[in-house]
Amino acid sequence: MRAVTIDRRGRVSIREVPVPSVGRREVRIAVDTAGVGSWDPSMRPEGRERFAVPGTDGSGVVVELGSRIRRFRVGDRVYSYSYQNRKGGFHAEFVVVDAKKVARLPRTLDAKRAGAIATTGLTALQGVDDALRVRKGENVIVHGASGGVGSLALQFAKLRGARVLATASGRDGVALVKRLKADAAVDGKRSDLAEAARRFAPEGVDAVLAFAGGKPLSVCLDALKKRGGRLAYPNGVEPAPRKRRGVKTTAYDGTPGVEELARLNRAVEAAKLKVPIAKSHPLGSAAAAYKRVGKGHVLGKVVLKIR
Ligand SMILES: NC(=O)c1ccc[n+]([C@@H]2O[C@H](COP(=O)([O-])OP(=O)(O)OC[C@H]3O[C@@H](n4cnc5c(N)ncnc54)[C@H](OP(=O)(O)O)[C@@H]3O)[C@@H](O)[C@H]2O)c1
């Protein structure tokens, strides 16, 4: 099969590699669309491997089942998230993953959009539901809401009944989060964040869900209620925020699983989730896709359209 490979020195190529074999509890997926994250270009081979095949998520069609698998049939349209997948990543024509990390497509998304959201969708939903436990009527800042995870977290926070102030990057980012129905929106790089937060919630905000770090995040945290404020962010946000007295802080990882993916499917369908795709590249242009995510200012998600 054709796959994107990265060698120890970080060189990206397209190569013919063996199709991975299927273990008893695994499925083989013919990949349709794979997400490209800012973390993919930094994947490197481990142990005695010569190359890493990057890609933590994607969608496609089940083409082979392990002997213990009853939940799927050959031909099922599925999507999956598997970080550092043992048998290679999703930037390839085929991927073999633990069936527990696989689900059928949500009814409201096609393969291209579902392929873009397994990592970001789980991370967004678990930030809202598990790390922050957002409740109806709460005032929440989603910081970095025009990016891959933030653009989905904003919609899930709304689904749970929160009022959302979305901080976005640039005028185009602000326009995007308004289209996604943020209650209020501000350019978190060029506008007065403190003033926007005061106008949004004069008594202070209940919670901040952060997908970007640094000084602007500190300004968001200054806007929290003096008592009982909460902050959550996925590991990887840089620089990681310092703990603050009186602020319940939760750093977390997006986690796949049968229940987790079933909950994501329900939330995607209930929210009629919109999936902004900034750019779709063919497999052969993976190096350009990696450059694109490295440059930053991606509105939503970059994907590889493999079939
Ligand atoms: N641990 C996990 O399970 C997990 C899973 C997924 C993601 N993550 C981490 O979560 C973070 C978000 O991931 P992602 O894929 O959503 O990345 P992303 O698409 O780059 O999103 C971050 C967004 O924040 C924006 N931003 C930066 N500074 C801002 C500011 N001052 N005001 C408003 N917006 C600002 C960025 O805009 P510009 O690009 O224009 O600067 C970008 O749109 C990353 O650090 C990633 O490593 C962790």
Side-chain angles (χ1 to χ4, degrees), residues 6 11-12 20 45 74 84 86 101 104 114 133 139 160 163 166 169 176 184 199 219 267 278:
I6 306 188
R11 285 176 302 206
V12 177
V74 167
Q84 291 185 323
R86 267 188 340 117
K101 299 177 179 176
R104 288 193 182 73
R133 297 174 181 272
N139 291 312
R160 299 300 184 229
R163 278 182 77 231
S169 171
L176 171 67
R199 242 182 300 133
V219 177

Coordinates of all heavy atoms in Angstrom, one line a residue, residues 6 11-12 20 45 74 84 86 101 104 114 133 139 160 163 166 169 176 184 199 219 267 278:
I6 N 7.7 9.1 7.8 CA 8.7 10.1 8.3 C 9.9 9.3 8.8 O 9.7 8.4 9.6 CB 8.1 11.0 9.3 CG1 6.8 11.6 8.8 CG2 9.1 12.0 9.8 CD1 6.2 12.7 9.8
R11 N 12.3 13.5 7.6 CA 12.0 13.6 6.1 C 10.7 12.9 5.8 O 10.6 11.7 6.1 CB 13.2 13.1 5.3 CG 14.4 14.1 5.3 CD 15.5 13.5 4.6 NE 16.0 12.2 5.2 CZ 17.2 11.7 5.1 NH1 18.1 12.4 4.4 NH2 17.5 10.6 5.6
V12 N 9.9 13.6 5.1 CA 8.5 13.0 4.7 C 8.6 12.5 3.3 O 9.1 13.2 2.4 CB 7.5 14.2 4.8 CG1 6.1 13.6 4.3 CG2 7.4 14.8 6.2
P20 N -0.6 -3.8 6.9 CA -0.5 -4.4 8.3 C -1.5 -5.6 8.4 O -2.6 -5.6 7.9 CB -0.9 -3.3 9.2 CG -1.0 -2.0 8.5 CD -1.1 -2.4 7.0
P45 N 10.0 7.5 14.0 CA 10.0 6.0 14.2 C 10.4 5.7 15.7 O 11.2 6.4 16.3 CB 11.0 5.5 13.2 CG 11.7 6.7 12.7 CD 10.9 7.9 13.0
V74 N -17.7 -6.5 7.2 CA -17.0 -5.9 6.1 C -17.9 -5.0 5.3 O -19.1 -5.4 5.1 CB -16.5 -7.1 5.2 CG1 -16.0 -6.6 3.9 CG2 -15.3 -7.8 6.0
Q84 N -0.7 7.1 18.3 CA 0.4 6.3 18.2 C 0.0 4.8 18.0 O 0.4 3.9 18.7 CB 1.3 6.4 19.5 CG 2.0 7.8 19.5 CD 2.9 7.9 20.7 OE1 2.7 7.4 21.8 NE2 4.0 8.7 20.4
R86 N -0.3 1.2 17.0 CA 0.8 0.2 17.0 C 1.2 -0.2 15.6 O 2.4 -0.5 15.3 CB 0.4 -1.1 17.7 CG 0.8 -1.1 19.2 CD 0.5 -2.4 19.9 NE -0.5 -3.3 19.3 CZ -0.2 -4.5 18.8 NH1 1.1 -5.0 18.9 NH2 -1.1 -5.3 18.3
K101 N -11.6 1.1 19.3 CA -11.3 2.6 18.9 C -12.0 3.0 17.6 O -11.7 4.0 17.0 CB -9.8 2.8 18.8 CG -9.1 2.5 20.1 CD -7.6 2.7 20.0 CE -6.9 2.4 21.3 NZ -5.5 2.5 21.2
R104 N -19.2 3.3 13.9 CA -19.8 3.7 12.6 C -19.9 5.2 12.5 O -19.9 5.9 13.5 CB -21.2 3.0 12.5 CG -21.1 1.5 12.3 CD -22.4 0.9 12.0 NE -22.2 -0.5 11.9 CZ -22.1 -1.3 12.9 NH1 -22.1 -0.9 14.1 NH2 -21.8 -2.6 12.7
A114 N -16.4 13.1 8.9 CA -16.2 12.2 10.0 C -14.7 11.9 10.2 O -14.2 11.9 11.3 CB -17.0 10.9 9.9
R133 N -17.4 19.6 32.9 CA -18.8 19.4 33.3 C -19.6 20.6 33.1 O -20.2 21.1 34.0 CB -18.9 18.9 34.7 CG -18.2 17.6 35.0 CD -18.1 17.2 36.4 NE -17.4 15.9 36.6 CZ -18.0 14.7 36.5 NH1 -19.3 14.6 36.3 NH2 -17.3 13.7 36.7
N139 N -21.8 30.4 31.8 CA -21.0 31.3 30.8 C -19.6 30.7 30.7 O -18.9 30.6 31.6 CB -20.9 32.7 31.4 CG -22.3 33.4 31.4 OD1 -23.0 33.4 30.4 ND2 -22.7 34.0 32.5
R160 N -24.8 21.7 25.2 CA -25.1 21.4 26.6 C -25.8 22.6 27.3 O -26.0 22.6 28.5 CB -23.8 21.1 27.4 CG -23.1 19.8 26.8 CD -23.9 18.6 27.0 NE -23.2 17.4 26.5 CZ -23.6 16.5 25.7 NH1 -24.9 16.6 25.2 NH2 -22.9 15.4 25.4
R163 N -23.8 29.5 27.5 CA -23.5 30.7 26.7 C -22.1 30.7 26.4 O -21.3 30.5 27.4 CB -23.9 31.9 27.4 CG -25.4 32.3 27.4 CD -25.5 33.6 28.2 NE -25.1 34.8 27.4 CZ -24.3 35.7 27.9 NH1 -23.7 35.6 29.1 NH2 -24.0 36.8 27.1
A166 N -16.5 33.0 22.3 CA -15.5 32.3 21.5 C -14.4 33.3 21.2 O -14.6 34.3 20.6 CB -16.1 31.7 20.2
S169 N -8.9 33.5 16.2 CA -7.7 34.1 15.7 C -8.0 34.9 14.4 O -8.4 34.2 13.4 CB -6.6 33.1 15.5 OG -5.5 33.6 14.8
L176 N -15.8 32.8 11.4 CA -16.1 31.4 11.5 C -16.9 31.1 12.7 O -17.9 30.4 12.7 CB -14.8 30.5 11.4 CG -15.0 29.1 11.8 CD1 -15.8 28.3 10.7 CD2 -13.6 28.3 12.0
A184 N -21.0 35.2 21.6 CA -20.2 36.4 21.5 C -18.8 35.9 20.9 O -18.4 34.8 21.2 CB -20.0 37.1 22.8
R199 N -17.9 42.4 29.2 CA -19.2 42.6 28.5 C -20.1 41.3 28.4 O -21.3 41.3 28.6 CB -19.0 43.2 27.1 CG -19.6 44.6 27.0 CD -19.4 45.1 25.5 NE -18.0 45.2 25.2 CZ -17.6 44.7 24.0 NH1 -18.3 44.2 23.1 NH2 -16.3 44.8 23.7
V219 N -5.4 36.3 30.5 CA -6.5 37.3 30.5 C -7.9 36.6 30.6 O -8.7 37.1 31.4 CB -6.4 38.2 29.3 CG1 -7.5 39.2 29.2 CG2 -5.0 38.9 29.2
A267 N -23.7 13.2 20.3 CA -23.5 14.6 20.4 C -23.4 15.2 19.0 O -24.0 16.3 18.7 CB -22.3 14.9 21.2
A278 N -10.5 23.3 6.4 CA -9.7 24.4 5.8 C -9.2 24.0 4.5 O -9.2 24.8 3.5 CB -8.6 24.9 6.7

